[in-house]
């Protein structure tokens, strides 16, 4: 019988889905992903959740509940660090325990510990994740190598200019249809945590909304790691969070780029890291007058109308700035 592994369409799904899926599929498992977020999924999760946290963490509860009766295992890795000298926010490391404590009836959770620190992803964590499917370490390692290849291809697709959401579609073999680029297009960069930007429910479909307003979208995943590293190295404060580094590095890069007309920083309300990083990005944007800048703070109470009005105003402002430049040149 094929073992079914459930992956919630939340959090690091937006970064690692092709890697995880290839790994489990290569080991003979069937991967089941929860459906795209809806109000109902969100509300189901909220009923189980106790206490205060950010929207992305609340959402994962709803996704896990919808998967619970469809799978044999849930894959909720205990993510501490995914790169040298940087960490994920502590919520990630505690997630498997919180889920188990609040929902004891869940299927067994594969909570492989990922803590890269100085050694790279260790064979131990890879084997830990794969041993239930195949006890042979060589087979598990081989599956991981294949997964890495699929992951590199996914990253390359994004660097070629599609969003991670679209690169996931391409990985799943679905056709990705991008809107035709308009001649007078606006180049708008989006920065922030990937699971907020690329989950259409959380971001109120911001990518589609901006495209309708004539924007071409740029994201932090489209920038090579070296550039991100270089930009954050020049800061007086060190940033310890992986997504925080990406947000700030990409924001600095795009604010200095001649191509970009505007930058939007999408912030999760109740996100500790975001509230600190906002100061750094705000400060850079204040000093840099080239690109328009705005922040959008998002939580479950954010209304569609409010966002539409802000996006309209932002794109109008960019157009006015452009016309002014033409007038004075
Ligand atoms: S980084 Fe912010 S949004 Fe992400 S899990 Fe942590 S608190 Fe939530």
């Amino acid at each position: 019988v094929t073992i079914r592994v459930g992956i919630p369409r939340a959090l690091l799904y937006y970064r690692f889905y092709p890697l995880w899926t290839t790994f489990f599929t290569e080991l003979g498992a069937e991967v089941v992903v929860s459906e795209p977020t809806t109000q109902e999924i969100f509300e189901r999760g909220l009923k189980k959740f106790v206490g205060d946290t950010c929207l992305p963490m609340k959402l994962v509860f709803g996704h896990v509940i919808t998967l619970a009766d469809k799978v044999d295992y849930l894959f909720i890795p205990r993510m501490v660090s995914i790169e040298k000298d940087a960490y994920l926010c502590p919520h990630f490391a505690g997630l498997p325990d919180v889920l188990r404590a609040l929902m004891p009836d869940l299927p067994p959770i594969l909570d492989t510990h990922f803590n890269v620190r100085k050694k790279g992803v260790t064979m131990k964590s890879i084997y830990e994740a794969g041993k239930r499917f195949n006890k042979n370490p060589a087979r598990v390692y081989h599956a991981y190598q294949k997964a890495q290849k699929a992951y590199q291809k996914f990253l390359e697709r994004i660097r070629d200019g599609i969003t991670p959401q679209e690169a996931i579609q391409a990985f799943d073999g679905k056709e990705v249809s991008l809107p035709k680029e308009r001649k007078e297009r606006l180049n708008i960069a989006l920065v922030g945590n990937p699971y907020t930007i690329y989950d259409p429910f959380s971001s109120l479909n911001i990518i589609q909304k901006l495209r309708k307003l004539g924007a071409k979208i740029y994201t932090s995943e489209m920038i090579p790691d070296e550039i991100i590293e270089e930009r954050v190295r020049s800061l007086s404060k060190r940033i310890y969070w992986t997504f925080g580094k990406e947000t700030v590095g990409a924001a600095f890069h795009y604010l200095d780029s001649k191509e970009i007309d505007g930058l939007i920083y999408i912030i999760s309300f109740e996100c500790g890291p975001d509230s600190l990083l906002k100061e750094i990005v705000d400060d850079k944007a204040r000093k840099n007058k080239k690109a328009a800048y705005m922040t959008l703070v998002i939580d479950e109470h954010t209304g569609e109308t409010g966002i539409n009005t802000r996006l309209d105003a932002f794109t109008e402002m960019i157009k006015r700035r452009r016309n002014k430049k033409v007038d004075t040149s």
Side-chain angles (χ1 to χ4, degrees), residues 35-49:
E35 293 296 313
T37 315
T38 57
Q39 183 68 25
E40 196 209 326
I41 292 183
F42 166 64
E43 281 169 15
R44 284 181 77 182
L46 212 56
K47 278 191 198 133
K48 291 284 174 193
F49 196 80

Side-chain angles (χ1 to χ4, degrees), residues 189-193 197 220 246-247 250-251 254 263-267 281:
L190 296 179
V191 295
N193 290 318
I197 301 180
S220 57
E246 285 182 19
T247 297
Y254 284 133
L263 175 86
I264 303 178
Y265 179 6
I266 301 183
I267 294 172
V281 180

Side-chain angles (χ1 to χ4, degrees), residues 54 56-57 89 91-92 193 195 268 271-273:
C54 55
M57 282 289 156
C89 138
H91 284 320
F92 284 93
N193 290 318
Y195 36 85
S268 295
C271 169

